Amino acid sequence: MLTGSMFRYYFLQSLAISLLGHRCSGGNVLLVPMPFFDSHWFGLAKIGQALVKRGHVVTAVVPVDILKKRQAERPDFHFETFEDNGTGARLKEVQEMYFSVAKTMSVYESFRLALSCTEDITNHCDMLVGDKDLINRLKVSQYGVVIFDPIFPCGAIVAALIDTRVPLIAILRGDLYFLGEKATGVPLPPSYVPFLTCDFTDQMTFVQRIQNVLLWTLAPTMTTWLGSKTYDGLVRKYISERDTIQSVVSRTDLWLHRTDNVLDFPRPFMPNMVQIGGVNVQAVASLPKELESFVQSSSTDGVIVVSFGSMYRTLSPEKSEIFAAAFARLRQKVVWRYVGEKPTGLGNNTKVMNWLPQNDLLGHRKTRAFVTHAGYNGLCEAMYHGVPVVCLPLYGDQPANAARVVARGLGVKLDFSTVTADQLYQAVIHVLTNNSFQETAARLSRLHRDQPQPPMERAVWWIEHVIKHGGLSHLRARAVDLPWYQYYLLDVAAFLLAVCTAVMGAMLCSCSFMYGVFWHFCRIFSAKIK
C-alpha cells in the first residue's frame, strides 16, 4: 500500500517523465531557403510541414518583402525576417530572364550569367548573416537543427554563427558548387556516373566518356572557384580567417538527396547520404468540382496533363500556338498549366489554368500521359502514379532527367527549341498507343512504391535522428579531413616508388658488383692458363 509521500514521489516522477518525453518528441527546426528557384522552397516547405505534424516547431528565415506570401503558404511555420534591399527580387528577375533563353544559351554564356549574379547573391547572404538582431534571436531560440540547400550555402554560415554544435542538414537535388562531393568524400567514377546536367546514361560510348571526364574535371573547378568568390569573403568576415565556405559546409551531418534508385542511375553513396526522391508526392485528393467535371467529360479517352513547373509558366506566342495546335488534334481532354494570353488555336478539348493540382491530376484514373519540362518533382509524381511522360527539357538537370526517363522506358524526349506541332502530337500519340510505355510506367510505379518507408517518412526519421543525437559525426567519412595528396594516396605512391627505386638500385649495384667480381676472377683464371 502506497503512503502519501510515496504517492507524491511516483506522481512527480511520472509527471517528469511525461514532460521530458514531450520535450524530446519535438524540437526547434530552422530552415534557410534559397532566394530563388521556388521549386526548391516548395520541397523544403513540404518537409517542414511534415515536421510540424510531428510536433516540431519549424522556423524559416525569409526577406521582409516576401513574408506575407510565405505566411499565406505555410501558416503553421514561424518566420524570422531580414531586410535584403531588393537583392532577392533582382535574383528572381535574372532567373526569369535565364528561363526565357535557357535553350539558346551556351555553357559559357550560362557561366557568365551565373558570374553576374555573384554580387547580388553575396549581398543577399551578407544582409542575412550581418543582421545582428536576427542572429541574436536565432541564438536565443536554441535550434536543434539547421536545414539548408547547398545551392545557397548561406544556411551553413548561419548555423556556424548560431552555434558550431548545432547539427546541419543539407537537402539537395544538385550541388552547384560541388561542396557536397568534397564534404562527404564520396567517389564519383566518370566511367559510369554521368554528369548531372548532361543527357548521358550510365552506359556511355567512348566519346561520351571523354566528354564526361572533361565535364567532371572542368565544371567543378570553375564552380568551386565561383563558390569561393561568392562566399569565402563572408566566411572570413563573420566566422574566422582560417575558414572557407567548403570547411563550413563540411560540418554537415546529413545529406538528403532528392534522388531515387528506380529513376536515377546507381552511384556510390556514403553512410550520411540518404535518398529521398519522391518526397514531394502526396496522397491523391479530390479535384475541384469544375475540374473534376472537365476530366470526367473525357469519357474513355482520358486526360493529358501539361505543365512546365512553377518557374516556366508562360511560353512565347509562337511556341504557345505550336502547343495549342498539337493539343487540339488529340481526342483526349487536355489540362494545361498556362499563364498569359490564350493562344488563338486553342482547341475545345483544352483547359488552361494558372495553377493546377498536378499530383492529384496525375493520380486520377483518367490521366493517360504527362507533357512536362522534366522537372524532377513532376517526374517523381508521374512515376509514382504510373503515368507515361513526354519530356521537353529546358535547363539545369532537366536534360539529364529526360535521359533517365528515356533510358527507363517511361517516356520520350523532344527538343523544346525546335519542336513542331506535328512532332509533339506524334509523341503524345506514341506514348498513348504503345503499350510498352503503359506497362513500364506501371512496373516503375510498383518498384518505387515498394519501399520500407515512403520518402517523406524517411526524411523525417533521419532529421529526427539527427536532432535526437545532436549530430551524426560517426557517419562522416575520414576522407573529408584528409589532405588531397593523402586522399589520392600520392604520399603512399611516392613512398612505394622510392622503395621500388631503392630496391632496383640496390639490385643493379649488386649485379654490377657481382659482374665486376666475376670478370676479375675470369681474368685471373685466364692469366693462369696462359
Side-chain angles (χ1 to χ4, degrees):
M1 184 174 179
L2 292 175
T3 65
S5 60
M6 291 176 66
F7 177 82
R8 285 192 297 272
Y9 170 79
Y10 284 117
F11 173 78
L12 291 173
Q13 186 183 52
S14 300
L15 180 62
I17 291 173
S18 175
L19 290 174
L20 287 172
H22 177 72
R23 184 180 178 183
C24 292
S25 66
N28 284 343
V29 178
L30 181 64
L31 309 180
V32 186
M34 300 168 57
F36 42 87
F37 292 162
D38 283 346
S39 61
H40 290 244
W41 157 252
F42 296 149
L44 185 63
K46 284 183 178 179
I47 293 174
Q49 192 66 50
L51 291 168
V52 169
K53 290 181 180 178
R54 292 279 295 176
H56 300 278
V57 177
V58 175
T59 303
V61 180
V62 299
V64 173
D65 58 352
I66 65 168
L67 174 62
K68 290 184 179 179
K69 178 182 179 182
R70 294 292 184 246
Q71 285 177 327
E73 294 169 351
R74 297 293 170 181
D76 295 332
F77 285 12
H78 294 249
F79 291 92
E80 290 286 357
T81 62
F82 67 100
E83 179 58 62
D84 71 347
N85 288 345
T87 53
R90 287 196 294 273
L91 288 168
K92 286 283 184 70
E93 290 175 1
V94 174
Q95 169 190 293
E96 295 297 331
M97 187 271 289
Y98 171 70
F99 292 157
S100 65
V101 296
K103 286 296 293 184
T104 62
M105 294 182 71
S106 65
V107 175
Y108 173 72
E109 289 171 331
S110 298
F111 182 75
R112 283 190 61 190
L113 181 62
L115 189 60
S116 69
C117 297
T118 298
E119 184 177 352
D120 277 331
I121 295 175
T122 302
N123 289 338
H124 188 85
C125 185
D126 196 3
M127 299 286 179
L128 197 168
V129 298
D131 189 328
K132 293 182 179 180
D133 291 337
L134 169 63
I135 297 300
N136 288 334
R137 292 196 303 272
L138 297 180
K139 287 180 180 179
V140 171
S141 298
Q142 296 182 340
Y143 291 100
V145 69
V146 176
I147 303 177
F148 76 107
D149 190 319
I151 293 182
F152 183 61
C154 194
I157 303 177
V158 172
L161 282 173
I162 295 174
D163 189 342
T164 55
R165 295 168 296 179
V166 175
L168 193 58
I169 295 177
I171 297 179
L172 67 158
R173 169 61 182 165
D175 190 358
L176 175 62
Y177 303 115
F178 295 90
L179 299 169
E181 277 73 12
K182 293 181 180 179
T184 58
V186 63
L188 294 174
S191 55
Y192 67 91
V193 178
F195 193 74
L196 182 63
T197 58
C198 72
D199 58 357
F200 299 157
T201 70
D202 55 351
Q203 300 182 37
M204 290 174 272
T205 64
F206 176 73
V207 173
Q208 287 175 335
R209 278 185 284 122
I210 292 175
Q211 293 174 318
N212 202 44
V213 168
L214 292 175
L215 283 171
W216 275 116
T217 303
L218 298 177
T221 301
M222 291 189 295
T223 57
T224 299
W225 170 82
L226 185 62
S228 297
K229 177 180 174 60
T230 307
Y231 295 102
D232 278 358
L234 297 176
V235 172
R236 289 192 295 268
K237 178 180 178 181
Y238 292 105
I239 300 176
S240 77
E241 286 290 336
R242 64 179 181 278
D243 278 307
T244 64
I245 190 61
Q246 181 64 65
S247 68
V248 170
V249 171
S250 292
R251 290 182 48 250
T252 304
D253 293 273
L254 180 67
W255 298 80
L256 296 177
H257 283 256
R258 290 168 55 233
T259 57
D260 179 79
N261 282 326
V262 176
L263 183 59
D264 290 288
F265 303 125
R267 48 158 285 184
F269 270 80
M270 288 296 186
N272 61 343
M273 299 167 63
V274 178
Q275 295 192 94
I276 58 168
V279 72
N280 58 293
V281 181
Q282 298 176 331
V284 176
S286 300
L287 297 176
K289 187 175 180 179
E290 182 183 351
L291 182 57
E292 179 65 31
S293 298
F294 180 79
V295 170
Q296 291 297 339
S297 69
S298 66
S299 187
T300 59
D301 292 323
V303 173
I304 309 298
V305 179
V306 183
S307 175
F308 285 83
S310 60
M311 297 180 291
Y312 198 94
R313 296 169 293 173
T314 304
L315 304 177
S316 66
E318 297 78 15
K319 195 65 67 177
S320 62
E321 292 297 343
I322 289 173
F323 276 63
F327 299 149
R329 295 171 61 184
L330 295 170
R331 294 172 55 186
Q332 289 74 22
K333 297 289 185 179
V334 178
V335 182
W336 182 8
R337 182 179 186 182
Y338 179 81
V339 177
E341 187 176 344
K342 290 184 179 180
T344 56
L346 196 68
N348 294 329
N349 67 329
T350 304
K351 181 180 182 65
V352 294
M353 303 176 66
N354 291 347
W355 175 89
L356 52 82
Q358 182 173 285
N359 179 73
D360 302 331
L361 273 170
L362 291 173
H364 200 284
R365 60 186 179 84
K366 285 190 175 291
T367 298
R368 302 289 184 264
F370 182 36
V371 179
T372 174
H373 63 312
Y376 194 74
N377 288 342
L379 291 182
C380 284
E381 291 171 349
M383 179 177 63
Y384 181 87
H385 297 299
V387 179
V389 179
V390 175
C391 298
L392 294 102
L394 296 167
Y395 53 84
D397 65 337
Q398 294 165 16
N401 296 339
R404 285 156 173 75
V405 166
V406 174
R408 297 304 191 207
L410 182 61
V412 298
K413 180 180 74 169
L414 298 173
D415 188 330
F416 181 88
S417 58
T418 61
V419 67
T420 64
D422 188 61
Q423 287 174 339
L424 180 55
Y425 170 76
Q426 293 297 338
V428 175
I429 293 298
H430 183 56
V431 299
L432 289 175
T433 57
N434 192 323
N435 289 334
S436 67
F437 292 108
Q438 305 291 336
E439 293 169 357
T440 299
R443 178 176 61 83
L444 295 181
S445 176
R446 291 193 298 271
L447 283 171
H448 178 69
R449 290 172 182 242
D450 191 13
Q451 303 183 49
Q453 284 177 304
M456 181 61 81
E457 284 187 17
R458 185 160 57 250
V460 170
W461 186 91
W462 275 99
I463 293 170
E464 290 182 334
H465 187 60
V466 170
I467 296 172
K468 180 179 179 181
H469 296 284
L472 301 176
S473 59
H474 63 287
L475 296 184
R476 294 174 73 246
R478 173 63 179 159
V480 181
D481 305 313
L482 293 176
W484 62 272
Y485 61 87
Q486 289 185 16
Y487 179 81
Y488 291 106
L489 293 175
L490 297 182
D491 52 344
V492 174
F495 173 76
L496 294 177
L497 180 62
V499 169
C500 290
T501 301
V503 170
M504 291 296 294
M507 290 177 63
L508 287 173
C509 289
S510 298
C511 289
S512 177
F513 175 75
M514 293 300 295
Y515 177 77
V517 171
F518 176 75
W519 181 250
H520 177 71
F521 280 109
C522 284
R523 289 176 61 188
I524 293 173
F525 182 73
S526 177
K528 286 182 179 180
I529 293 176
K530 292 181 179 180

